[in-house]
Amino acid sequence: MSFEIWLTYLATVLAFMITPGPSHLLMLSNSMTHGFRPALATAAGDLTANALQMLAAGLGLAAILVASQHALEIVKWLGVGYLLWMGMRMWRQADHAKSDMGAARSASRRALWGQGFFTSAANPKAVVFFAALFPQFIDPSQPFVPQFVLLSVTYLIVDGTFLSTYGASAGWIAARLKGRATAFVHRLGSVFLIGAAFMLGLKTLRDA
């Protein structure tokens, strides 16, 4: 793979990342309510799911997912429901945010990782996306594995950078809000989660 082709791929990924997706909104929410450092587990969960999706695309499993349309729809709507439930629960708990802030910030990193992983995995068509994207930049005259690894690592680094930037910004703002403002932080985080659910649901309806 030439450097010029890699730069074109990088520009494509950056353009794709410009609009925040459900995982980015989840990162914003968790950084505001739990702090940036704990929320890095959310980013790790998202990137883990992405890595598995890219591996599945590389192994040719995209065709299986496309064929299993019914199972695909079920997984996607489960993801929508999960995000919506988390958002509504956070909104209801906003009035108790001040007294519960310590508990919120001590949330299990395993739970935060699971949220990031499930939110990304709830979009199984990402496998199809990677299966369609990668061949555009892979030179068939060169070994497949090194090119596949380079494309995958590049995507993960870019996505991780965006997630960290969103999370650090949200964490910085939340850390400077005290007292009653913590309820506002929870409600804003709730809006991000419900927005993520809406985005996933809209995409599911559009793809149907």
Side-chain angles (χ1 to χ4, degrees):
M1 178 186 299
S2 68
F3 182 67
E4 290 77 12
I5 292 178
W6 178 81
L7 281 180
T8 302
Y9 171 76
L10 178 61
T12 302
V13 174
L14 287 172
F16 174 72
M17 291 287 177
I18 289 298
T19 303
S23 294
H24 298 125
L25 294 181
L26 177 65
M27 185 67 181
L28 281 169
S29 174
N30 283 347
S31 293
M32 295 189 81
T33 55
H34 302 291
F36 173 59
R37 288 183 181 277
L40 286 174
T42 301
D46 172 73
L47 297 178
T48 301
N50 284 160
L52 293 176
Q53 288 163 338
M54 286 185 281
L55 180 60
L59 294 174
L61 298 184
I64 298 177
L65 284 177
V66 173
S68 305
Q69 186 65 32
H70 183 63
L72 192 67
E73 294 297 319
I74 292 176
V75 172
K76 291 169 76 174
W77 283 114
L78 282 175
V80 171
Y82 177 66
L83 288 175
L84 187 60
W85 173 76
M86 286 197 303
M88 294 176 65
R89 186 181 66 168
M90 185 180 295
W91 184 274
R92 290 196 302 267
Q93 293 175 342
D95 291 334
H96 307 288
K98 184 177 180 180
S99 59
D100 294 342
M101 199 62 177
R105 288 189 175 276
S106 63
S108 166
R109 281 175 170 76
R110 179 179 298 180
L112 297 178
W113 182 91
Q115 290 178 14
F117 181 87
F118 190 84
T119 299
S120 184
N123 181 24
K125 277 199 172 180
V127 178
V128 182
F129 168 78
F130 290 125
L133 177 68
F134 285 178
Q136 309 300 321
F137 301 95
I138 290 180
D139 185 349
S141 66
Q142 298 182 20
F144 170 78
V145 174
Q147 296 182 83
F148 175 77
V149 170
L150 177 60
L151 294 177
S152 300
V153 170
T154 299
Y155 183 93
L156 292 174
I157 290 175
V158 173
D159 193 17
T161 301
F162 271 80
L163 288 168
S164 298
T165 301
Y166 283 124
S169 300
W172 184 86
I173 293 172
R176 283 152 180 77
L177 297 177
K178 306 295 183 181
R180 290 184 178 180
T182 57
F184 169 76
V185 169
H186 275 64
R187 287 201 170 94
L188 186 58
S190 170
V191 170
F192 284 137
L193 286 176
I194 294 174
F198 176 78
M199 292 176 65
L200 275 179
L202 189 62
K203 186 177 185 303
T204 299
L205 291 173
R206 190 167 54 242
D207 292 341

